[in-house]
Each structure stands twice: as structure tokens, then as C-alpha cells.
Amino acid sequence: MHLETIDFYNQNAEELTARYLRADRSELQRILRQWIPLGGSVLEIGCGCGLDAVFMASIADKVTATDASDEMLHQAKRIIEKHGMSHSILFKRAVFPLEPENPLLKEQFDVIVCIATLMHIPDNELFDFAYQIRSMLKNQGIFICSFPADGGQSHDDQRLYVDREPAEISLLFERLRFHLLKNEKSQDGLGRAINWTTSIFCSGGD
């Protein structure tokens, strides 16, 4: 992952958390509720302020919430403690793509969720990132990812933003024996001039 992007989240974690807490999450929660199986296991890549992990923990038995930013993890832990969900969510700092020795690579999940994180993955790391997702998903597992649909994301700070088309993401994961189940379009939960695509994939067998 882009190091300057991680630095940005570390330096602005409190301000960003206050902003994310104001977001309308109803559309995302509808999608998560539809695709996360009751009692399943979930890996969240880029947990941010932790509210999505709280929601997913109300459905799944096990939620592993990861982020590359230590300060965002600190904010997420604070939010999750406030909601009384600390016992349901396991936090891990993780920079994707993971180093080969990372123990997460030995785990298997029913669902992997990656909300507003794909645009921070450099092109030269994207295939390794996708391959690791495949290795951590159970057969017939679900991968949910969201990304700006039309290049509308702001580029006014040092974070990396890579504009990617839905067809590009679909082709990448189909090469790894994923099947695209659905593309969902939605407006930005903070009212910004950004349209989002949420792609839902199912992992296939070997």
C-alpha cells in the first residue's frame, strides 16, 4: 500500500473519524446484510473508524477488522468499545498486500469486505492483493469491494487515488476464478460529488 496514504490517515485519524461518523451508511448496510451469512466469518480490509465492523459483527460470529494505520485502528477500537462490541471484533494492523509470513494468509473467511480501499492500492500491487484475497476466501466465499465509479474522488491530498473502471476490476478477479454476482451503484454517504460502485464476487473452485 502507498506509504504516504498510510501517513495521511495516521496524521488525520481523529478528524477523519469525526467525518466518517456523519456518513449515511444505510445503502452499504443493506448490501452487507444481503451478502454476509448469519454466523459467518468476515475479514474487513481498511476498517477506518470501525462502524462497519460494528454492523457486520451484528450478523457474523467473527469479524477481523484490519487497517494499515495505527491511529485509525486506535479510533476504531474507541468507537467499538463505545458500542460494547469489543468482544466480537478482532483488530489487526495489516498492510495489503500482506508480507508472505503474515499469519492472516493462513486463515479462511466466508466474506472479505474492502470498502473505499481499492483506490489506495498501487497498480503494481493490485494483482498480489487480489491473489491474497482469493487465498483467504473459502470456496464459494463472497468478496465485496467498493470504489469510485467515475473518477470523482478528490485528489487534493497526498493519498493515492487510482481511478479504476468496474470492468477492469471484474476482469482482474475473473482471472482468479471469481464470478461477478452483482454491481451496485450508489451515491456518496457524505454527500460528496462521488458515485460509488460496489462489486460483489463469489470465489470459485480450483
Side-chain angles (χ1 to χ4, degrees):
M1 191 172 177
H2 188 247
L3 294 180
E4 289 185 4
T5 300
I6 299 172
D7 288 342
F8 179 87
Y9 283 104
N10 280 329
Q11 294 163 13
N12 298 277
E14 189 169 347
E15 176 187 345
L16 290 169
T17 296
R19 184 189 307 171
Y20 297 157
L21 290 176
R22 299 193 299 269
D24 179 359
R25 291 182 143 73
S26 57
E27 187 65 13
L28 174 60
Q29 290 179 355
R30 177 189 65 79
I31 294 170
L32 296 175
R33 188 181 296 111
Q34 179 179 356
W35 294 103
I36 294 175
L38 288 173
S41 58
V42 178
L43 171 66
E44 183 180 15
I45 299 173
C47 67
C49 70
L51 278 184
D52 296 332
V54 168
F55 179 78
M56 291 186 287
S58 71
I59 304 170
D61 274 351
K62 175 187 176 185
V63 175
T64 301
T66 72
D67 206 282
S69 163
D70 288 317
E71 293 302 319
M72 288 305 300
L73 282 173
H74 175 74
Q75 295 293 324
K77 290 175 183 177
R78 181 176 61 83
I79 296 299
I80 285 168
E81 287 173 1
K82 183 177 178 180
H83 282 80
M85 300 289 285
S86 299
H87 63 286
S88 303
I89 301 167
L90 175 64
F91 287 100
K92 292 187 178 183
R93 182 179 183 273
V95 180
F96 284 84
L98 300 168
E99 293 295 328
E101 66 275 8
N102 193 299
L104 270 176
L105 292 172
K106 297 180 180 179
E107 297 192 41
Q108 294 265 288
F109 299 89
D110 294 301
V111 181
I112 296 179
V113 175
C114 180
I115 303 301
T117 301
L118 268 184
M119 68 272 198
H120 296 325
I121 304 291
D123 283 337
N124 65 332
E125 297 180 352
L126 188 60
F127 184 82
D128 287 344
F129 173 77
Y131 189 85
Q132 289 181 353
I133 288 171
R134 183 180 184 275
S135 73
M136 291 185 291
L137 260 184
K138 295 178 182 178
N139 189 35
Q140 302 301 308
I142 298 296
F143 174 55
I144 302 169
C145 63
S146 73
F147 48 94
D150 52 12
Q153 184 80 347
S154 171
H155 291 234
D156 58 358
D157 55 56
Q158 73 262 35
R159 285 177 288 182
L160 175 70
Y161 295 106
V162 181
D163 296 330
R164 296 187 168 109
E165 295 294 326
E168 176 188 358
I169 298 302
S170 296
L171 180 60
L172 169 66
F173 284 94
E174 285 167 359
R175 287 174 61 196
L176 294 168
R177 296 183 178 273
F178 282 80
H179 307 288
L180 178 65
L181 299 176
K182 195 170 188 181
N183 277 330
E184 298 257 9
K185 306 289 186 182
S186 60
Q187 296 180 334
D188 185 66
L190 286 167
R192 298 169 296 185
I194 306 170
N195 294 313
W196 294 84
T197 294
T198 301
S199 296
I200 300 99
F201 296 91
C202 178
S203 65
D206 295 326

